[in-house]
Amino acid sequence: MRRYLISGNWKMNTTRATAVELAKALVEGARAACDKVDVLIFPPAPYLIPVQDAVAGSAIQVGGQNAYFEAPGAFTGEVALEMLQDVGCQSVLIGHSERRHVLGETDSLINNKVKAALEKGLQVVLCVGELLSEREANQTEEVLDRQMAGGLADVTAEQMADVVIAYEPVWAIGTGRTASPEQAEAAHAHLRNWLTSHYNASVADATRILYGGSVKAANAAELLGQPNVDGALVGGASLKASDFLPIVEAGVSAAG
Ligand code: 13P
C-alpha cells in the first residue's frame, strides 16, 4: 500500500519571515494528518535552516529544490547534497520543469544528480512532464519514456525504494489549467507500466507517482482519487497554509 505524499514546492517565493510563518502554520494544521499521509515541503535554499527549526519535532519533512551532484568544491552558486543533509534534509527535488526549460537542465545532468543523491541516501523526487506542443503532437508518452530512461539510467531496483516520481505536465504548471483526472491517470498508469517493464512489478507497485500542475483544494480530491495518483506536488497553492492544508486533508480522505 503506497502512502500518499503531499508536497509543496515553494519555488523562488517567500521571505525568511513568511517562510517560517508558513512552516509553523503547517505544523499546527497538519499535525493529525501526518499520521495518515507524508507532508514534504521544499523551501528556497536560504530558508532551509529557519524552516527546519520551525518544523522541528513535527512529522513535516523538508527537502531541497535542487542540488549539484559533485562533492563540495569549486562550484560557485551551487548547493551540495551534503549541505542539504547537513541542514536536515532527507529529500531533494530533481529535474523540475523550470530547471529543465528555464535553466537548461538535460536528462544527463538530471541523471547525475539522481544517482549522486541516491548514493548519499537522500529520497529523490524526480519530475517528468511534457510541453503543450508535445502533448498536442501526441508525444506525451514518448517524452515521459525519454525522461524516465534518461533520469533513471543506472538506478537499480533497490535504489528505487528512495525514488518518487512527480508527473507535472508543463502546460498545467502555474497556468490554472489542470490535467483532467483522466489525463493524469493515463499518464500515471503509463509511468507505472514503464516501471514494470524497466524494473519489475514490485518496484512499480511500491513507487509513488505524484501529480503536479495547478493542484488546488477544489481539484485535489478528484486527482488523488485516481488509482495511480499517490500524492501531489503543489506550487502556487502551497504558499498559503489555508490553500495547502485542504489539499493535505484531501490526501487524508483519499487514504481512507
Ligand atoms: P503550480 O501548482 O503553481 O501549478 O506548480 C506546480 C509545480 O510546478 C510544483 O512543482
Side-chain angles (χ1 to χ4, degrees), residues 6 215-218 220 224 232 234 237-238 243-252:
I6 309 298
V215 176
K216 40 189 183 280
L224 294 171
V234 185
S238 72
D243 291 335
F244 189 62
L245 289 170
I247 301 173
V248 172
E249 286 306 322
V252 172

Side-chain angles (χ1 to χ4, degrees), residues 9 11 93 96-98 127 168 172-176 212-215 233-237:
N9 173 10
K11 307 192 180 184
L93 197 59
H96 190 275
S97 72
E98 286 142 22
C127 303
E168 297 206 309
I173 296 178
T175 58
S214 298
V215 176
L233 181 53
V234 185

Side-chain angles (χ1 to χ4, degrees):
M1 187 65 191
R2 296 180 295 269
R3 188 173 161 93
Y4 280 88
L5 170 57
I6 309 298
S7 56
N9 173 10
W10 296 359
K11 307 192 180 184
M12 199 171 73
N13 292 298
T14 69
T15 63
R16 181 183 180 133
T18 61
V20 168
E21 188 187 343
L22 175 54
K24 285 184 177 161
L26 299 183
V27 168
E28 284 308 310
R31 206 182 296 279
C34 286
D35 289 343
K36 297 271 173 56
V37 300
D38 288 341
V39 178
L40 168 61
I41 50 177
F42 295 100
Y47 307 140
L48 284 169
I49 294 172
V51 168
Q52 287 281 12
D53 290 345
V55 304
S58 81
I60 293 186
Q61 304 160 32
V62 179
Q65 294 179 13
N66 178 40
Y68 198 51
F69 64 91
E70 294 279 9
F75 301 101
T76 303
E78 293 299 314
V79 172
L81 292 156
E82 286 86 344
M83 294 170 184
L84 292 183
Q85 290 180 303
D86 193 24
V87 298
C89 294
Q90 283 158 358
S91 301
V92 60
L93 197 59
I94 296 181
H96 190 275
S97 72
E98 286 142 22
R99 299 217 55 89
R100 290 176 188 267
H101 301 296
V102 183
L103 284 308
E105 289 200 5
T106 61
D107 281 319
S108 137
L109 174 60
I110 289 164
N111 180 237
N112 282 334
K113 294 181 175 195
V114 168
K115 287 185 295 189
L118 293 172
E119 276 159 25
K120 297 258 166 319
L122 281 154
Q123 169 176 267
V124 168
V125 180
L126 172 65
C127 303
V128 296
E130 80 287 359
L131 299 165
L132 181 59
S133 56
E134 293 166 336
R135 174 161 283 266
E136 286 174 342
N138 281 323
Q139 291 167 346
T140 298
E141 295 187 351
E142 184 185 325
V143 170
L144 296 181
D145 291 352
R146 188 174 66 235
Q147 293 175 341
M148 291 288 279
L152 294 173
D154 301 322
V155 172
T156 66
E158 291 68 37
Q159 288 178 311
M160 284 302 293
D162 289 324
V163 175
V164 173
I165 304 296
Y167 170 62
E168 297 206 309
V170 181
W171 48 270
I173 296 178
T175 58
R177 185 176 164 187
T178 319
S180 68
E182 295 74 24
Q183 286 172 319
E185 173 58 20
H188 284 226
H190 179 79
L191 290 167
R192 205 171 302 285
N193 286 336
W194 188 95
L195 291 169
T196 306
S197 53
H198 289 75
Y199 290 99
N200 55 52
S202 69
V203 166
D205 191 47
T207 303
R208 292 182 288 188
I209 306 177
L210 315 182
Y211 170 78
S214 298
V215 176
K216 40 189 183 280
N219 58 28
E222 213 181 353
L223 287 161
L224 294 171
Q226 301 303 310
N228 284 294
V229 177
D230 309 310
L233 181 53
V234 185
S238 72
L239 294 172
K240 276 196 208 158
S242 57
D243 291 335
F244 189 62
L245 289 170
I247 301 173
V248 172
E249 286 306 322
V252 172
S253 302

